Amino acid sequence: MIKNYFKIAWRNLKRNQSYTLINVLGLSLGMACGILIFALVKYHLSFDDFHPNKDRIYRIVTEFHEDNVNYSQGVPAPLGKAFRNDYAFAEKTARVITYGNSLVSIPSSKDNKKFEEENGVAFAEPEFFDIFNFPLKTGDKRSMLTELNTAIITQNLANKYFAKQNPIGQIIRLNNKIDFKITGILKNIPINTDRKQEIYLSYSSLKQRSKSMASDSSWGSVASGMQCFVRLKPHVLPADVAKVFPAFRKKYLGKDALTDFFNLQPLSDIHFNTDYDGYVNKKYLWALILIGLFLITTACVNFINLATAQALKRAKEIGVRKVLGSLKTQLFWQFIAETALITVFALFISWCLAEMAIPYINQLFKTELSISIFHDFNLTVFLVLLSVVIVFLAGSYPGLILANFQPVVALKGKLTQKDAGGFPLRRVLVIVQFAISQILIIGTIVISAQIHYAAKADLGFRKDGIVLLNLPGSSKTKLNTLKTRLLAIAGAEKLSFCFEPPASDNNNETDITYENRPVKEVFQINTKDADDQYVPTFNLKLVAGRNIFPSDTTQEFLVNETAVKKLRLKSPQEIIGKTITVSGKKAAVVGVLKDFYTESFRSNISPIVIAPKYLQYNYAAVRINLNNIKPTLTAMEKVLKENYPDYVYSATFLDEKIAKFYELDNTILRLVQGFAGIAILIGCLGLYGLVSFMAAQKTKEIGVRKVLGASLQNILWLFGKEFSRLLLIAFVIAAPISWLVMHHWLQEFVYRINIGPWIFLVAILSTFVIAAITVGFRSVKAALANPVKSLRSE
């Protein structure tokens, strides 16, 4: 019986090839998107889930309750040691501090090979590897990182640094200053972890890199790179630990205990909590899942629409089967078999499409996803369940319609559209389909508009033509020599040495005290260490006072308008000549800068203080002539390499650095654009199928109208008026839903666009144009048909 079901199903599908093709294509596109979304969501949900006892692993994080609440994934450097000594809640406690973009050289190599490690290095306590499952391939775990100046690296780096040599016992040099002996080789780090470092150094050596970070008394500062992980004992609850934190803060933080709070962050939350620099908010994964459901629903709507529309063509077949004794259940399962065949074909094509798309997805998201049905049990289960759901979701209603045909009426050919599910149902389904498409279109327009706004807005400083050259060292003599040589290059217009450019995701915030006020202010101020050329190089605007004078050390300060407001002063002029104390240094404020954006548009403009401090300079910011870029960059690279021959040359444009603020938003935009395009394509396939069916059903009517003098426009309107009404209803449904969703998304941005009428106008017009092309293509063909042949065909 089952074999017979599929045999008949195959014959029916071959007989109605256009119907089969449209359904297979629609389902294939929807399922391919479903597969890709499943792979992406599964990848992100798998982050750091391979560690034993992962549900007992936590990171201690810091909250700052000042004029507003700020968050940091870092803690004071001594916290881990104090927590380990004072309490017995944890089986293991480990401190780890990371430094990005580190220079690693191999002293034993002939040409002193140098490598710029983008993921940087981590100084870690030995217990770190008891908490996390990063297993050794070679070496003794018991003595790992216990000795001074020892290191472990991954197999990947061992091959890169030493090729076929034995890496154990070899020396690597950090930033041309500190030597470390390799005592172990780690297996390569899995891709699904937020711990990307491939070089781990003994924590006891940290004092050679930074005495302040290694100090057990530096409770007053928090660096985001300094983190503390604990694995709690069984049956110890996070709430138990939270109860002791108030006393713990009071014991070690003094007055800061009133504003600085510690919390436990579960390991499973680290990848998703953007307050603590997580990669992606879980709501984006839910949005992806919802889009996947939308696309699959759109494909199923196509199937139901076309199947019910085709039902009348199969009326006599159903009538004969019923007369010959077929039961309703048999007819129902016959149609389910047809749906299953289409779904199987679609599944195979969708898998092929997903395989073709996965390299682009990996490039877009910088991942290493793969789609392997035979090696990924979860994916296999997902595909089976997806296929079963689609078969019954898409096939059940048309199957019930066919099974309920009355045999006598069917054989007489007197079935109407009402018997085949009727136009009302198909209207509803088309409305659902195009409402989904318009929601995605409006979402795409809003995201594009916000990103364009961020890219084109006046940031309050110049970002074009600014090259940021990494400074390996900050010796006064070398800096002066470098400045002279760089400014001698044709095309180099201005130069400033600075800690960071005006807008940066690497910020240094500290306490500030104004004049003789008895207590420090309730806000932190963002320190921008820079020389006197910072203002002219970045075209910053002074609203009061003057620029700072040339100096190597802090003698006077510049602040921005936000700092003045935070200090509760009435005007910028009021602060000129007044003293402030920042990072223990007291000096007068000589100028006030017009506010400029200090981070992405998701963050408020920070209160800023600018002062020289040459030991903190990370960059030489060079403003260049954009008409002479290539030779200027080549000349600057030559100067840097000659001045710092032991370092790797590194440079980036400021506008590119700022664009990275919105890297994830651009990725999401491209993804939504793709899915919106696919939703429209699926909708158009269904629309074309329905119009084709209507044209076949109205062949005689069209012929009569043409004989009676109807024009081409009249015939086209016969088709167009029906779908125009449906598209308008779909828009009325989609517009408020889209507004609510995108309004919620825009709340992430402090500085954002308004969702104006033009966005909805563009959405409805673009949908009408696409639908008109789809409907018009088939309608024109029907309208131009010879009316004599049309009348004879009946």
Side-chain angles (χ1 to χ4, degrees), residues 303-374:
F303 189 96
I304 295 170
N305 260 339
L306 293 175
T308 53
Q310 289 279 340
L312 290 179
K313 293 177 67 176
R314 302 184 62 177
K316 290 186 178 179
E317 174 199 339
I318 301 302
V320 170
R321 287 178 181 278
K322 283 203 165 187
V323 168
L324 294 176
S326 290
L327 301 175
K328 285 184 178 181
T329 53
Q330 291 174 317
L331 293 170
F332 174 80
W333 286 108
Q334 172 65 56
F335 192 80
I336 290 295
E338 289 183 21
T339 308
L341 269 180
I342 289 175
T343 304
V344 168
F345 291 144
L347 179 63
F348 175 73
I349 295 172
S350 67
W351 180 76
C352 294
L353 290 174
E355 280 284 5
M356 292 166 61
I358 206 70
Y360 300 100
I361 294 293
N362 282 333
Q363 184 179 7
L364 186 62
F365 283 91
K366 298 178 182 177
T367 58
E368 297 178 30
L369 299 178
S370 63
I371 299 173
S372 176
I373 297 176
F374 304 107

Side-chain angles (χ1 to χ4, degrees), residues 22-31 293-306 390 394 433 436 679 682-683:
I22 289 173
N23 276 328
V24 168
L25 280 177
L27 285 174
S28 297
L29 289 169
M31 292 174 78
L293 290 174
F294 278 173
L295 293 172
I296 291 168
T297 300
T298 302
C300 289
V301 164
N302 260 9
F303 189 96
I304 295 170
N305 260 339
L306 293 175
I390 286 175
Q433 202 171 43
I436 289 171
I682 293 171

Side-chain angles (χ1 to χ4, degrees), residues 179-485:
D179 287 350
F180 293 88
K181 183 173 74 172
I182 296 173
T183 59
I185 304 298
L186 290 171
K187 291 182 180 178
N188 287 331
I189 304 296
I191 60 170
N192 57 330
T193 178
D194 289 304
R195 307 299 310 180
K196 300 296 185 184
Q197 294 75 33
E198 296 186 77
I199 302 174
Y200 285 90
L201 310 171
S202 53
Y203 192 86
S204 57
S205 310
L206 177 59
K207 58 182 174 289
Q208 299 173 56
R209 172 66 172 78
S210 171
K211 289 182 180 179
S212 62
M213 282 292 101
S215 170
D216 286 336
S217 60
S218 56
W219 286 93
S221 64
V222 174
S224 59
M226 172 59 77
Q227 298 179 20
C228 178
F229 292 90
V230 296
R231 188 175 72 208
L232 299 181
K233 291 178 179 178
H235 312 303
V236 172
L237 300 176
D240 298 330
V241 181
K243 290 176 183 176
V244 306
F245 275 145
F248 184 73
R249 298 195 327 265
K250 188 175 181 181
K251 179 179 178 180
Y252 291 105
L253 297 184
K255 291 181 180 179
D256 288 340
L258 298 173
T259 56
D260 298 3
F261 294 79
F262 302 128
N263 296 308
L264 289 182
Q265 181 188 21
L267 180 65
S268 58
D269 185 60
I270 290 175
H271 187 66
F272 304 106
N273 194 329
T274 51
D275 285 338
Y276 296 107
D277 204 33
Y279 178 76
V280 61
N281 195 307
K282 265 190 180 177
K283 68 182 178 184
Y284 288 117
L285 299 188
W286 284 111
L288 276 179
I289 291 169
L290 195 60
I291 289 172
L293 290 174
F294 278 173
L295 293 172
I296 291 168
T297 300
T298 302
C300 289
V301 164
N302 260 9
F303 189 96
I304 295 170
N305 260 339
L306 293 175
T308 53
Q310 289 279 340
L312 290 179
K313 293 177 67 176
R314 302 184 62 177
K316 290 186 178 179
E317 174 199 339
I318 301 302
V320 170
R321 287 178 181 278
K322 283 203 165 187
V323 168
L324 294 176
S326 290
L327 301 175
K328 285 184 178 181
T329 53
Q330 291 174 317
L331 293 170
F332 174 80
W333 286 108
Q334 172 65 56
F335 192 80
I336 290 295
E338 289 183 21
T339 308
L341 269 180
I342 289 175
T343 304
V344 168
F345 291 144
L347 179 63
F348 175 73
I349 295 172
S350 67
W351 180 76
C352 294
L353 290 174
E355 280 284 5
M356 292 166 61
I358 206 70
Y360 300 100
I361 294 293
N362 282 333
Q363 184 179 7
L364 186 62
F365 283 91
K366 298 178 182 177
T367 58
E368 297 178 30
L369 299 178
S370 63
I371 299 173
S372 176
I373 297 176
F374 304 107
H375 296 96
D376 189 338
F377 175 75
N378 292 327
L379 178 61
T380 304
V381 171
F382 170 75
L383 292 178
V384 171
L385 290 176
L386 179 64
S387 301
V388 171
V389 167
I390 286 175
V391 167
F392 285 96
L393 183 65
S396 294
Y397 182 77
L400 290 171
I401 292 292
L402 289 170
N404 283 313
F405 279 174
Q406 294 299 317
V408 176
V409 179
L411 288 170
K412 286 182 178 180
K414 294 184 177 180
L415 287 173
T416 64
Q417 284 293 337
K418 186 177 179 182
D419 297 305
F423 280 121
L425 172 72
R426 282 198 286 283
R427 288 190 184 106
V428 170
L429 293 177
V430 169
I431 288 168
V432 169
Q433 202 171 43
F434 276 92
I436 289 171
S437 297
Q438 289 188 47
I439 287 170
L440 292 173
I441 290 171
I442 293 169
T444 301
I445 295 170
V446 172
I447 296 172
S448 298
Q450 176 63 26
I451 292 175
H452 182 266
Y453 169 65
K456 299 300 180 183
D458 180 7
L459 301 180
F461 61 88
R462 175 170 176 164
K463 65 175 181 177
D464 298 321
I466 304 287
V467 182
L468 300 173
L469 304 173
N470 277 69
L471 289 177
S474 298
S475 145
K476 288 183 188 178
T477 306
K478 280 205 168 187
L479 288 180
N480 290 332
T481 303
L482 181 65
K483 182 175 184 177
T484 302
R485 294 193 63 188

Side-chain angles (χ1 to χ4, degrees), residues 664-685:
L664 182 60
D665 297 304
N666 276 296
T667 299
I668 291 169
L669 172 62
R670 291 170 67 182
L671 206 60
V672 172
Q673 284 174 331
F675 289 147
I678 290 169
I680 292 167
L681 180 56
I682 293 171
C684 289
L685 285 172

